[in-house]
């Protein structure tokens, strides 16, 4: 009896161990809780103003539509939220706001109830560019996306596909790709039979192999097909293959009959006939062949006993990057018609024997000069009731066709830009520039984005396929008609914006040099703060140009060759010159090697001790102390989500962490305030943070901004605007003058109403005097309170009469509202009535805030808009 009891206890412990491993808590959930605490208590409740852009859109990872309500569409951007429209794409709402996960791998609507949505978090695109966003498991909504519940699998990180039973919305499969950069056991195929409350790990090979795709046969839902992908440490392996279950996912058999199973078998996408459960297509990235010939389609019509390649001619849609996509789809009404997604979208009407490439005419909802269907296709939706109705998500956004790809509408009206970097010029008003993930480099006005009007942005450059990876994009601070832009791996060019002509200025090693030049995907280059004609660019070597890139001088040894074994690198990831000492340069590599030269490259010294062996992405030399330098280091390319912010007071010889009370999440950028030595700004995985004591304590800056990855920060110093580039939600700005004024003498000790900027009325048309709402700009009203209070904000004219008022509960610290200058709204039944909004008249007003022991006043000047 005792032995039997001991055996049962041992068995229970073993089973419990399996269960615990399958629900291993993600560090992203811990940092999410830390983020929420800082969000709740932040005293810096200032508003971020969205600038867009939407013109060039962003990468759509997944797309689904409700066939019973064809105007309802869902577009999931890789790192830019899930958006929903119910009016055929005219307007969109973000559904997945303020959730623990930023990345999205797939979404699925339950066929039996389209209000039930499953979302698999974590991008399914494996790219080591510091921005492949992991997730925190599966989420479920039962009300069309209004509310969400995390239903488990928090350690999955990346989910490739979700499949829901056609009649039972509680039965769902999740193809978990797992950790991209480290081995883990929580990968493979999972099944839930209770709507995600519990999950069974039904298909697992090893800690290097995840599941990529899963499809349920609509006509026989106990038949399920799944593909596994050996995706760690590389993108292929002998464990990649196709599996079949005929008992609803309880048991599985690998299908080998003629399907590739070599050591370099890559990602696999599946499609099953809607009427014949034995007819299945598989699109495979078969890297056992030449990589540009790797795309192959296989078909079985006997349930997998035999799989044959369908086409004699090679399919050229995977030019070495089949790991990017490999999705396959079948027409619900004709199982001989299939679509294979790659760089291009291949289409066959004869069961895969022959293919054509889908292109078609492209129309944009908002102005865009791109003329072709964007490349790199991630997901296709085919209307089961009308297969001519298609919706495709690719690197250029969401495209919808009603004639099977002959023409497309590009829904470029969603602010989901995935920026790598941003910069600003010194024009008045100033412009913002930025490089994006495969949607080129763009520039536009620093004004608030209005979803009703074109955003005013344009491309700095555009490749022949309507996109291109835009990396560093930098305007000349003195001559804004000169703009430097780059594509991947150091492909930097100089452009004259007036003539629209650009030239390559990518440096090369001297002919007699024995080394090999290498660049990171996003290679840094800078304009010297001391001479706008001087450029520096960092690969594994650093180069200097005195003539805007016409010629280059090699000024460093191979900086990838660190003295620390773990810091051997590819190339420089961040480069900076001191704003107070010319020739004092810092360079940080993608594996944490930190280098400094005090003499413009004549001698370099490595000061890497104390820094993690991770990607140095941001270096900020101080303008207040020559020897002080800040760095931000990211480990996301290693599944390391710790926060790494450091400062050195001696040129990098010694490093001190300033992460302090920040959430333990990835840091991307750090910036020093140009006025106050003690104020720092940091861009992290979910938001912007501010410290007023040089990193001892941090607060979330502008907590009303939705959680989003901050890829870059820059300050336009004339206007004192902090501009934030995000990887997934476009660009925002915030004016820093209230913060700088409040901290003149340290932390404020009294209530403050800050002088508002001059308010500008919108332009009024000269024919009927109706307002041009595209020119409307709100004026910020900003105040600081020592304690919480209920207050009334009043605008009084020169006679002391209140013309506008607003009551609010103000918090301790900064408070801000933005007034549109509308005094009241007017209704009228008259057929030609147009003046529905009564605006304030130009003049000088008094801004008055009152409350319990609160009486604050400032002048408010309202003027006509310049030129209007």
């Amino acid at each position: 009896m005792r032995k039997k009891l001991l055996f049962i206890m041992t068995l229970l412990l073993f089973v419990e161990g399996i269960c615990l491993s399958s629900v291993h808590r993600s560090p992203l959930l811990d940092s999410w809780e830390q983020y929420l605490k800082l969000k709740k208590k932040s005293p810096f409740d200032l508003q971020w103003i969205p600038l867009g852009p939407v013109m060039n859109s962003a990468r759509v990872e997944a797309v689904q539509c409700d066939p019973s309500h064809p105007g309802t569409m869902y577009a999931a951007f890789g790192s830019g939220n899930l958006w929903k429209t119910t009016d055929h794409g005219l307007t969109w709402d973000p559904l997945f706001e303020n959730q623990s996960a930023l990345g999205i791998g797939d979404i699925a609507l339950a066929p039996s109830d389209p209000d039930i949505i499953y979302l698999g978090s974590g991008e399914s695109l494996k790219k080591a560019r510091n921005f492949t966003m992991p997730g925190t498991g599966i989420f479920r909504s039962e009300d069309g996306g209004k509310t969400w519940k995390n239903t488990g699998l928090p350690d999955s990180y990346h989910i490739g596909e979700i499949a829901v039973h056609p009649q039972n919305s509680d039965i769902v499969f999740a193809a978990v790709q797992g950790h991209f950069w480290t081995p883990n056991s929580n990968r493979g195929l999972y099944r839930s039979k209770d709507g995600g409350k519990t999950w069974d790990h039904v298909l697992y090979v090893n800690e290097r192999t995840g599941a990529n795709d899963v499809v349920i046969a609509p006509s026989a839902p106990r038949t399920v097909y799944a593909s596994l992908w050996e995706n760690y440490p590389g993108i292929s392996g002998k464990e990649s293959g196709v599996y079949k279950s005929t008992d609803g996912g309880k048991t599985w058999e690998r299908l080998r009959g003629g399907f590739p199973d070599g050591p370099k078998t890559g990602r696999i996408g599946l499609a099953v006939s809607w009427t014949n459960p034995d007819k299945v297509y598989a699109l495979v990235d078969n890297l056992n062949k030449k990589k540009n010939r790797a795309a192959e389609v296989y078909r079985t019509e006997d349930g997998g006993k035999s799989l044959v390649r369908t086409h004699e001619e090679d399919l050229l849609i995977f030019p070495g990057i089949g790991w990017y996509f490999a999705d396959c789809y079948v027409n619900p009404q004709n199982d001989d018609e299939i679509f294979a997604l790659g760089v291009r979208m291949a289409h066959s009407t004869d069961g895969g024997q022959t293919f054509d490439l889908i292109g078609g005419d492209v129309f944009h909802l908002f102005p865009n000069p791109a003329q072709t269907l964007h490349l790199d296709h991630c997901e296709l939706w085919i209307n089961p009731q009308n297969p001519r109705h298609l919706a495709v998500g690719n690197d250029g956004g969401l495209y919808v066709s009603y004639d099977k790809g002959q023409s497309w509408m590009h829904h470029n009206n969603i602010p989901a830009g995935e920026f790598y970097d941003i910069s600003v010029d010194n024009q008045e008003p100033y412009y913002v520039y930025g490089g994006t993930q495969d949607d080129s480099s763009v520039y536009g006005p620093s004004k608030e984005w209005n979803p009703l009007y074109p955003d005013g942005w344009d491309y700095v450059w555009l490749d022949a396929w309507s996109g291109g990876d835009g990396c560093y994009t930098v305007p000349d601070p003195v001559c804004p008609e000169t703009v430097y832009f780059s594509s991947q791996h150091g492909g930097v060019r100089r452009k004259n914006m007036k003539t629209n002509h650009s030239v390559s200025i990518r440096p090369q090693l001297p002919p007699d040099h024995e080394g090999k030049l290498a660049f990171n995907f996003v290679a840094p280059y800078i304009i010297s703060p001391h001479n706008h004609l001087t450029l520096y660019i960092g690969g594994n070597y650093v180069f200097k140009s005195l003539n805007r890139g016409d010629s280059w001088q090699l000024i460093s040894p191979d900086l990838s060759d660190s003295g620390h074994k773990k810091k051997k690198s590819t190339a420089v990831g961040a480069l900076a010159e001191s704003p107070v000492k010319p020739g004092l340069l810092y360079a940080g590599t993608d594996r944490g090697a930190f280098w400094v030269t005090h003499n413009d490259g004549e001698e370099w010294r490595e000061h890497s001790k104390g820094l993690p062996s991770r990607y140095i992405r941001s270096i900020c030399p101080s303008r207040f102390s020559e020897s002080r330098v800040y760095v931000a280091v990211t480990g996301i390319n290693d599944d390391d989500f710790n926060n790494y912010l450091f400062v050195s007071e001696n040129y990098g010889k010694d490093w001190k962490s300033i992460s302090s009370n920040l959430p333990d999440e990835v840091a991307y950028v750090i910036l020093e305030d140009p006025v106050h030595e003690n104020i720092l700004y940091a861009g992290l995985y979910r938001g912007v943070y501010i410290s007023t004591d040089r990193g001892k304590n941090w607060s979330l800056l502008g907590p009303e901004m939705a959680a989003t990855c901050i890829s870059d920060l820059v300050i336009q110093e004339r206007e004192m605007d902090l501009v934030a580039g995000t990887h997934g939600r476009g660009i925002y700005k915030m004016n820093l003058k209230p913060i700088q004024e409040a901290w003149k003498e340290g932390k404020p000790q009294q209530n403050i109403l800050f002088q508002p900027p001059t308010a500008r009325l919108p332009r009024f048309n000269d024919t009927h005097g109706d307002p041009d709402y595209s020119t409307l700009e709100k004026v910020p009203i900003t105040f600081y309170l020592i304690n919480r209070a209920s207050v009334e904000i009043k605008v009084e004219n020169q006679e002391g009469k209140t013309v506008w008022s607003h009551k609010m509960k103000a918090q301790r610290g900064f408070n801000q509202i933005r007034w549109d200058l509308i005094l009241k709204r007017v209704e009228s039944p008259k057929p030609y009535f147009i003046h529905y909004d009564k605006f304030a008249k130009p003049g000088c007003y008094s801004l008055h805030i009152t409350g319990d022991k609160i009486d604050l006043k400032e002048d408010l000047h309202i003027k006509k808009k310049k030129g209007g």
Side-chain angles (χ1 to χ4, degrees), residues 635-749:
I636 195 170
N637 285 352
D638 299 281
D639 288 332
D640 178 357
F641 310 126
N642 292 310
N643 183 276
Y644 297 123
L645 289 178
F646 297 90
V647 64
S648 172
E649 299 289 348
N650 53 8
Y651 305 100
K653 293 179 182 178
D654 301 289
W655 293 99
K656 175 185 176 182
S657 172
I658 53 172
S659 295
S660 185
N661 64 317
L662 284 169
D664 205 9
E665 65 185 33
V666 176
Y668 286 97
V669 58
I670 187 166
L671 203 59
E672 184 182 60
D673 188 88
V675 174
H676 288 288
E677 180 178 8
N678 292 333
I679 297 180
L680 302 175
Y681 308 97
L684 271 60
Y685 184 73
R686 295 186 177 101
V688 180
Y689 292 81
I690 182 173
S691 172
T692 57
D693 53 15
R694 292 224 311 270
K696 294 178 183 177
N697 297 279
W698 295 87
S699 298
L700 187 62
L701 180 58
E704 291 308 308
M705 177 195 279
T708 185
C709 171
I710 307 299
S711 57
D712 201 8
L713 295 171
V714 64
I715 296 174
Q716 212 292 335
E717 295 189 18
R718 184 190 65 241
E719 304 297 334
M720 282 303 167
D721 283 345
L722 176 63
V723 185
T726 77
H727 199 81
R729 298 300 291 269
I731 298 176
Y732 294 79
K733 73 175 182 179
M734 173 188 289
N735 190 262
L736 298 176
K737 289 179 180 178
I739 297 173
Q740 294 170 340
E741 182 180 337
W743 255 261
K744 276 183 179 178
E745 307 297 333
K747 186 176 181 179
Q749 301 300 314

Side-chain angles (χ1 to χ4, degrees), residues 408-464:
W408 299 89
M409 172 56 75
H410 182 206
H411 289 271
N412 60 335
N413 58 340
I414 305 173
E418 295 182 332
F419 283 85
Y420 290 125
D421 65 275
I422 59 169
S423 60
V424 295
D425 65 20
N426 291 317
Q427 298 185 77
E428 190 172 352
Y430 69 91
Y431 276 67
V432 183
Y433 303 72
T436 66
Q437 194 276 325
D438 206 14
D439 288 299
S440 197
S441 296
V442 293
Y443 71 104
S446 54
K447 71 173 186 177
E448 183 172 7
W449 169 67
N450 187 320
L452 298 178
Y453 305 100
D455 57 20
W457 287 67
D458 202 352
Y459 292 105
V460 175
W461 70 284
L462 185 66
D463 72 13

Side-chain angles (χ1 to χ4, degrees), residues 161-163 171-175 189-191 202 214 216 224 248-249 252:
E161 193 74 20
I162 297 173
I171 298 177
V172 56
F173 290 85
L189 188 67
Y190 288 81
R191 180 193 62 189
V202 294
V214 56
I216 301 172
V224 186
W252 294 85

Side-chain angles (χ1 to χ4, degrees), residues 229-245:
W229 179 24
E230 189 171 335
N231 58 351
Y232 176 81
I235 55 171
S236 62
K238 62 182 179 63
E239 301 296 350
S240 299
V242 179
Y243 288 76
K244 177 184 180 182
S245 173

Side-chain angles (χ1 to χ4, degrees), residues 509-517 541:
L509 289 172
D512 58 348
H513 198 284
E514 296 181 356
K516 184 178 180 180
L517 181 59
Y541 297 89

